[in-house]
Amino acid sequence: MIVKKALGLLTFISYFSIAPAQQVQRKVDFVNPFIGTGAAAGLPGCAFPGPTVPFGMVQLSPDTKEEIDARPCSGYDYKASTIVGFSHTHLNGTGIPDLVDVLMMPTTGEIKTNAGTEDKPGSGYRSRFSHEQETAKPGYYSVQLLDYDIKAELAATMHAGFHRYTFPEGKPWNLIIDIDHTSKKGTKVRSARIIAAQIRVIDNQTIEGYRVMTGWAKLRKVYFYARFSRPFTSTLMQEGTFTYPDKKLTTGNADIKAVVTFDKTGGREVLVKVGISAISADNAKENLDTEIKDWNFDRIVAQTEDLWEKELSKMDIEGTTEQKQIFYTCMYHAFTQPNNITDVNGDYTAGDMTIRNAGKKEIYSTFSLWDTYRAAHPLYTLTQIEKTAGFVNSMVLHHKSYGFLPIWELWGSETYCMIGNHAIPVIADAIMKDLPGIDVDEAYKAVKETSMTDHVQSPISIWEKYGYMPEDLQSQSVSITLETAYNDWCVAQLAKKLNHMDDYAYFMKRAGFYKNLYDAKTVFFRAKNSDGKWLEPFNALEYGHNGGHPFTEANAWQYLWYVPHQVKELVHLMGNEKKFGDRLDRFFTYTDTSTKVNHNASGFIGQYAHGNEPSHHVAYLYNFSDRQWKAQFYISKILNEMYSATPQCYIGNNDCGQMSAWYIFSAMGFYPVNPANSIYNIGSPVLKSAVIRLDNGRSFTVKTTNVSKANCYIQSMRLNNKPYNKSYITQADIVNGGTLEFVMGNKPSTKKLINYTEPN
Amino acid sequence: MIVKKALGLLTFISYFSIAPAQQVQRKVDFVNPFIGTGAAAGLPGCAFPGPTVPFGMVQLSPDTKEEIDARPCSGYDYKASTIVGFSHTHLNGTGIPDLVDVLMMPTTGEIKTNAGTEDKPGSGYRSRFSHEQETAKPGYYSVQLLDYDIKAELAATMHAGFHRYTFPEGKPWNLIIDIDHTSKKGTKVRSARIIAAQIRVIDNQTIEGYRVMTGWAKLRKVYFYARFSRPFTSTLMQEGTFTYPDKKLTTGNADIKAVVTFDKTGGREVLVKVGISAISADNAKENLDTEIKDWNFDRIVAQTEDLWEKELSKMDIEGTTEQKQIFYTCMYHAFTQPNNITDVNGDYTAGDMTIRNAGKKEIYSTFSLWDTYRAAHPLYTLTQIEKTAGFVNSMVLHHKSYGFLPIWELWGSETYCMIGNHAIPVIADAIMKDLPGIDVDEAYKAVKETSMTDHVQSPISIWEKYGYMPEDLQSQSVSITLETAYNDWCVAQLAKKLNHMDDYAYFMKRAGFYKNLYDAKTVFFRAKNSDGKWLEPFNALEYGHNGGHPFTEANAWQYLWYVPHQVKELVHLMGNEKKFGDRLDRFFTYTDTSTKVNHNASGFIGQYAHGNEPSHHVAYLYNFSDRQWKAQFYISKILNEMYSATPQCYIGNNDCGQMSAWYIFSAMGFYPVNPANSIYNIGSPVLKSAVIRLDNGRSFTVKTTNVSKANCYIQSMRLNNKPYNKSYITQADIVNGGTLEFVMGNKPSTKKLINYTEPN
């Protein structure tokens, strides 16, 4: 049965229509990699549909743009009608483009070496495609390239891509290898600039090469080693304006491509397997040969699917089919990164751009920390304990070589994107939760040094001198003040746990610095200059972007709520629970957007913008007000209205799994408002049930009664068969195993849920 | 005695005035590192005065510009009145700036973190200086920094710089470490762009750091490790617009500097020793600690001086003091590069930007081959046999990792500067001369593959298809045609020696392709398009630059003579020896420069331009005419008028020793017109005598009688006590040892010198 959903001008065809009906549905069957791949407007999702293993280095996926830009950074837009080729590395839901390394594109007939233009089918080597002849599932992607009548299928291992192309009889069979395919080139700071590149024919079934580039990541070296299942009879190479037939090598730094044309003897399939490494072509070869030893494409597909089934089976949910599709795809997206950047032999590129060896450990990168510390990393502390140790250890190693913890790290390279030092809550959370495999003293050293070292957008000495960030000395001052205060609280809690009581006192003092920017008169956090005076004029609706304004990708309304460590103090600053509730009401209902909205802000409910991270915890703050039921109302609304099993899912950039993690937690009924206090705040569950299968062999079960879109209000709760009246559960509640039961109804309950005491 | 020479507005003070009188003069005493450091106009010299060991990685020298540009690329201009600091790596006489890594500058009093402007003494941290209080000799440089009353002294080992600063009593003593000091920054292809950088305080006597950048060299990583002889009591760091006191680490990619202020207890000297590596700070530390184990500055000075004395003693000349100064400084400049890019542990960066280990071998870079293949590399085959094997092996390794031999390689990175593949004559010459330590088969493979592989500015398939480079398909077509034909001749000769007779025939055919661009009507090599028609209009005076014109940094007059492998065929093309002589006369006397001269062309005698390489062999071509004495006339004129023991020496860029090598050979009376046929053409010696002390224990002596500026004509010659009447000597004549005697006079001799038979 073809499942079609009308989505404006688009139709969305589930791959379920193509996959054979299965007797027992596996979790992977609910994952739809097309979810989040198509923006209706703004920046929803920005997922890529191609295959990857969990946390894989290689993420092989179709690109629809010839030069990847921010819309979408994943390279694939569900609205597009042509595909330019299949590249081996991708970003999932970021706001800045990069990667898309080593593009391959099969064609037939006349050889074209230019990519063509997205909007012009028939231009260049790109091909039209139709979603009706396109399939994706974890570990597998296929599409019919209509201009060439080629079936393209993709699979992936940790370090290698696997392509299977089925060519039509008749015209010559070509494969383009485009090393010049990048994000937008140019002279701006984050524009792509290829420093050096090479394609080299080793023999008539083997090609290797590399490119070294600067872009969003300051420096990336990408080496590849490609083996072909059948010989090619000719190679054509392009160097800038030159096109050379029968060329075996091309080296340069501009516009380098190769085209091979295959011997057509026997069968119509051409398989290509491509190892990738950031170190050398030799390592790329070793990566490939370790992971794909033969030409059994289907076995690799099955193997990767099994890896995903194992990951997804850490959660077992009941709900509607759409809920399952959203939920398991959210898990899939949450486990798509951070990415392993270690070769199979342990080699990796450190933060100081030296080559090092990690032995048997894996080093990870793609740390979109301003986003992911909020819920994605807390999710990993429940479902990816071993990986969490790997993430923390990678961050601590980065600190060692780079001097401070990662801010936004990509392929081992600090990009200085966004603000704050949110590796700190990630590390603090992991240690506070006693996760194994972390050198706690080393980690604390990294956390403390990062908090004591002036660095880009973290002028700590100014922080200490003024007790806030003065806007005239450090732009984005209100956002940085609020987020640094929170990070400092995390350092303090870690210091206390490790009995560094002087540090504890010191950082707790800094953790309260947010109060220095609270303006009781306007009831906002506002910017001051170094003279201690408020910055005038003040318009709480006015958005900042990423510099030049006190707020980061948000306005004063959205940052008003950023005191996750001392919510009760925030309530106190505003007066009392009623005034706090009134202010929240105003936030969720005040729809004026008379000033220009930052493009990252979307998914509005009043001033609440679910499409960007500053809002993510805010609905849960109603728990601290006199109208706790409104948390349930808004959370249910967001879950039901802003997520869907469609390409338009996510209402804003997925941001490397943060938007997914919000759904995963919230759909189960809780969410970490403070991502480092081992507490999850109760919201409004939408699933029938959910089981978290823990590494320790236990499981934690959420069950709901009478849940529906209308029945979004908690009537009563039971934890482990006992009545439960708290607005939160703890990490211990979960990891000890147990059952949390919700009875839902369509009327708010008047019972007061008890909030936790915030640790000082 | 103060020796002053009036040089226009400059005065040039020899360091001899400061050095103590010595009983026995050593060769190093004749080297004056200020020779070639000051442009009167145009681009003379572009030498740097600071210390280096022969072929050193570290070349520590003062910079006078805050951002190094082409005037001069060495960073130091003798005409300048202020010094901005001392950086650890430099280029000697190139046309494009780069390097100048890890600048250090001592100051007193108030801390300034901006460099200031060259023309504004007192601006920034730069200081005025006077040549009267400045000294340089091989292995040592010193200057009094007048604004601070600091004596700065510099020394160097292969991988480390050694600074000794003597501070005045009174004000605080500071040292600025400027990682942001580069060649001109910007968005153009070769502009500097710092990708990442760091300065890190290890303890109060140790600082390490790095910068990774793209510039002229596509990618350079420069790590440093600095030890200080006395503690610093405070550190201040600058990150862009922020200045932080007491900061221990700064990381970023823009405008990073550190300032340390020293404890003033005991003595007034501060010593700093700095290891450099392209691999890691750990390697930089190992490099430093291997080479400088204590704080004995004077011992390192003496040690490096001894290394130079050993190198310079390979030649023993008699002549005027000025001739000795020019000659030994030319040797010094010729042995300043290529540069060792291997760390003491064997690590180096290969052409494909992977990190590799060379074991006990040294890998070299800074191959300015379009220049140096002409005479510098032939000079190395006589004086640097072991290094020549190292150069050749480095080139062959580069071929292996990069795909073809280096064109203009800097720090292991191909810059694609200039045209041709002149690693080929270098390798061919070394093999034809049977130098040891070369894997001949590997080398031949590299030479042949490079000659068969299309690459930037060498579209070989077009070359083969048309028999010339058509200007509409490959710009600089005439220059590339002529130079490629020569390179092909080199491949052919190598093939013959190795008995690859098919290859020999094939490349000999290509070696004659220059004829396809010879226009008998105009008597010029001229450009054709791919339609086979001459490019019109044609103006033989019109200069090309580096693209967009058939000629490279020259005009049709200057390239008319570029058939070094088949001069007799060129004579034949022009008609006969008389017509050839007439044409040479016209070349040397036709002074019209009505079209805009390329800025590299200087040192004119008619159309002859000694300041750039295309002219370098031309005066010697008179040997093939009916008026051989004119070779002697012009060569003597160039030797006497275009070289001087002054900063203005070299009349054009030294080009990594090529201008020096021209002098060294020509002053002895011979020069390699064809740098790969083991033949040296007789010119006009200017020295009283010269001895080449060969590695094989033999020596070759040149003696002259009655030589003077007026007596530039050879009256008679004797080789090994027998009358000699050839226009050339051979490599065998030299390496077998012997004596060549010239009797000179002020009238041309009518005796005909016999030319060699050119091998087919």
Side-chain angles (χ1 to χ4, degrees), chain A residues 198 221 247 353 402 454, chain B residues 198 221 247 353 402 454:
Chain A
Q198 182 175 94
K221 299 179 183 176
K247 188 161 161 52
M353 298 180 186
Y402 200 64
D454 294 299
Chain B
Q198 183 175 93
K221 299 180 183 175
K247 188 160 160 54
M353 298 181 186
Y402 200 65
D454 294 299

Side-chain angles (χ1 to χ4, degrees), chain B residues 390-420:
Chain B
F391 302 155
V392 168
N393 293 334
S394 300
M395 292 176 193
V396 171
L397 274 176
H398 183 86
H399 163 81
K400 265 191 159 171
S401 67
Y402 200 65
F404 44 87
L405 289 163
I407 297 164
W408 208 129
E409 194 199 323
L410 180 59
W411 271 59
S413 171
E414 180 54 74
T415 67
Y416 293 108
C417 269
M418 307 308 298
I419 57 168

Side-chain angles (χ1 to χ4, degrees), chain B residues 184-473:
Chain B
K184 278 265 184 212
K185 296 194 179 70
T187 55
K188 289 185 187 166
V189 170
R190 290 171 182 162
S191 301
R193 173 170 163 181
I194 296 181
I195 288 169
Q198 183 175 93
I199 304 172
R200 185 198 291 258
V201 175
I202 302 296
D203 58 40
N204 68 357
Q205 289 185 253
T206 318
I207 291 181
E208 67 172 35
Y210 61 84
R211 76 174 179 200
V212 178
M213 59 177 291
T214 181
W216 183 22
K218 303 282 181 198
L219 182 69
R220 294 194 314 114
K221 299 180 183 175
V222 184
Y223 298 85
F224 72 94
Y225 193 90
R227 295 186 186 275
F228 298 79
S229 64
R230 69 168 66 216
F232 34 87
T233 51
S234 72
T235 55
L236 175 145
M237 289 189 179
Q238 181 188 304
E239 289 179 10
T241 55
F242 287 102
T243 302
Y244 296 113
D246 293 320
K247 188 160 160 54
K248 303 296 180 218
L249 173 104
T250 178
T251 306
N253 63 329
D255 206 7
I256 282 179
K257 293 164 192 170
V259 188
V260 297
T261 301
F262 294 101
D263 183 345
K264 294 170 75 174
T265 316
R268 287 165 47 217
E269 283 180 4
V270 175
L271 287 91
V272 190
K273 45 188 186 182
V274 185
I276 297 284
S277 162
I279 307 302
S280 69
D282 287 347
N283 276 19
K285 178 173 187 271
E286 188 181 357
N287 286 344
L288 173 61
D289 291 346
T290 304
E291 294 177 356
I292 311 181
K293 294 182 199 299
D294 55 28
W295 293 104
N296 192 334
F297 181 87
D298 295 328
R299 194 171 54 73
I300 297 297
V301 171
Q303 175 183 304
T304 300
E305 191 178 67
D306 287 349
L307 287 175
W308 278 111
E309 183 65 18
K310 189 181 162 202
E311 292 303 330
L312 302 177
S313 297
K314 291 172 175 174
M315 301 279 205
D316 197 353
I317 68 161
E318 291 300 326
T320 66
T321 298
E322 185 178 27
Q323 283 173 341
K324 287 186 181 178
Q325 290 176 9
I326 298 170
F327 191 93
Y328 285 112
T329 304
C330 279
M331 284 184 74
Y332 176 80
H333 285 151
F335 300 164
T336 293
Q337 66 292 299
N339 304 98
N340 179 8
I341 56 165
T342 333
D343 284 337
V344 296
N345 68 4
D347 285 348
Y348 72 102
T349 307
D352 61 356
M353 298 181 186
T354 56
I355 310 301
R356 306 197 183 201
N357 191 283
K360 295 200 179 302
K361 287 185 180 165
E362 285 180 355
I363 306 298
Y364 299 90
S365 190
T366 320
F367 289 124
S368 184
L369 288 162
W370 185 78
D371 307 298
T372 55
Y373 83 100
R374 299 169 198 259
H377 281 282
L379 178 67
Y380 303 144
T381 68
L382 293 171
T383 57
Q384 298 289 349
I385 291 177
E386 194 185 320
K387 290 276 184 274
T388 294
F391 302 155
V392 168
N393 293 334
S394 300
M395 292 176 193
V396 171
L397 274 176
H398 183 86
H399 163 81
K400 265 191 159 171
S401 67
Y402 200 65
F404 44 87
L405 289 163
I407 297 164
W408 208 129
E409 194 199 323
L410 180 59
W411 271 59
S413 171
E414 180 54 74
T415 67
Y416 293 108
C417 269
M418 307 308 298
I419 57 168
N421 290 279
H422 301 308
I424 292 173
V426 172
I427 295 171
D429 191 36
I431 295 174
M432 299 302 282
K433 288 174 178 168
D434 292 317
L435 299 199
I438 297 167
D439 182 329
V440 172
D441 292 331
E442 275 292 310
Y444 180 70
K445 184 165 176 272
V447 161
K448 184 180 169 186
E449 282 184 9
T450 298
S451 304
M452 298 298 284
T453 301
D454 294 299
H455 55 274
V456 175
Q457 294 185 343
S458 291
I460 301 295
S461 54
I462 288 171
W463 178 239
E464 290 178 335
K465 180 175 175 187
Y466 293 92
Y468 60 94
M469 294 296 178
E471 179 66 17
D472 55 340
L473 301 182

Side-chain angles (χ1 to χ4, degrees), chain A residues 108-262:
Chain A
T108 60
E110 185 200 354
I111 290 172
K112 295 174 182 174
T113 54
N114 69 311
T117 310
E118 189 183 12
D119 305 330
K120 290 185 188 162
S123 67
Y125 53 69
R126 63 171 58 243
S127 171
R128 281 170 299 179
F129 75 110
S130 157
H131 296 308
E132 303 212 10
Q133 295 179 70
E134 188 190 31
T135 300
K137 63 175 182 171
Y140 179 75
Y141 171 89
S142 90
V143 69
Q144 195 72 16
L145 298 171
L146 302 176
D147 287 338
Y148 304 113
D149 196 19
I150 295 169
K151 183 179 186 186
E153 297 170 286
L154 308 177
T157 63
M158 182 62 83
H159 300 88
F162 206 164
H163 309 236
R164 179 164 67 188
Y165 300 123
T166 307
F167 286 92
E169 304 290 355
K171 294 180 180 174
W173 304 345
N174 313 311
L175 183 77
I176 288 141
I177 303 173
D178 187 346
I179 297 294
D180 194 47
H181 179 68
T182 60
S183 56
K184 279 266 186 213
K185 295 193 180 71
T187 55
K188 288 183 188 168
V189 170
R190 289 169 182 163
S191 300
R193 172 170 164 182
I194 296 181
I195 289 170
Q198 182 175 94
I199 304 173
R200 185 198 293 257
V201 175
I202 303 295
D203 58 40
N204 68 358
Q205 289 185 253
T206 318
I207 291 180
E208 67 171 38
Y210 62 84
R211 76 175 178 197
V212 178
M213 59 178 291
T214 181
W216 184 23
K218 303 282 181 199
L219 182 70
R220 295 194 315 113
K221 299 179 183 176
V222 184
Y223 298 84
F224 72 94
Y225 193 90
R227 294 185 186 277
F228 298 80
S229 64
R230 69 169 66 217
F232 36 85
T233 53
S234 72
T235 54
L236 175 145
M237 289 189 178
Q238 181 187 302
E239 290 179 10
T241 56
F242 288 102
T243 303
Y244 296 113
D246 293 321
K247 188 161 161 52
K248 304 295 181 220
L249 173 105
T250 179
T251 306
N253 64 329
D255 207 7
I256 282 179
K257 293 164 190 170
V259 188
V260 297
T261 302
F262 294 102

Side-chain angles (χ1 to χ4, degrees), chain A residues 36-66:
Chain A
T37 62
L43 288 165
C46 300
F48 59 86
T52 176
V53 301
F55 312 101
M57 174 187 284
V58 165
Q59 312 196 299
L60 177 57
S61 191
D63 295 323
T64 56
K65 271 218 171 71
E66 55 280 9

Side-chain angles (χ1 to χ4, degrees), chain A residues 507-645:
Chain A
F507 283 104
M508 276 309 287
K509 183 177 167 221
R510 285 184 15 179
F513 280 179
Y514 65 90
K515 293 174 204 166
N516 297 329
L517 291 189
Y518 184 74
D519 175 20
K521 201 171 147 197
T522 58
V523 194
F524 280 109
F525 291 106
R526 289 180 58 185
K528 285 180 183 167
N529 276 337
S530 52
D531 60 8
K533 293 182 184 157
W534 298 118
L535 211 67
E536 298 286 359
F538 172 66
N539 177 352
L541 292 171
E542 189 177 87
Y543 278 81
H545 301 277
N546 297 87
H549 189 276
F551 295 93
T552 302
E553 295 185 1
N555 63 18
W557 270 111
Q558 288 149 9
Y559 263 98
L560 173 55
W561 313 105
Y562 197 80
V563 191
H565 52 304
Q566 295 180 346
V567 181
K568 288 186 177 173
E569 182 61 29
L570 182 62
V571 173
H572 177 70
L573 285 175
M574 292 190 191
N576 53 42
E577 291 184 355
K578 179 181 178 303
K579 286 188 177 173
F580 187 71
D582 290 346
R583 198 78 179 143
L584 279 167
D585 280 356
R586 178 76 174 153
F587 179 65
F588 277 97
T589 56
Y590 182 37
T591 55
D592 187 342
T593 53
S594 59
T595 55
K596 193 169 181 290
V597 170
N598 177 271
H599 70 276
N600 289 286
S602 56
F604 284 100
I605 307 173
Q607 294 299 310
Y608 180 90
H610 192 69
N612 208 17
E613 278 65 16
S615 292
H616 275 194
H617 66 298
V618 182
Y620 286 91
L621 296 185
Y622 269 116
N623 277 332
F624 295 86
S625 76
D626 61 342
R627 56 207 82 170
Q628 293 177 313
W629 59 271
K630 284 204 172 173
Q632 299 154 32
F633 172 80
Y634 283 115
I635 290 160
S636 171
K637 180 178 171 69
I638 297 161
L639 284 164
N640 284 303
E641 295 179 9
M642 296 193 187
Y643 290 84
S644 62

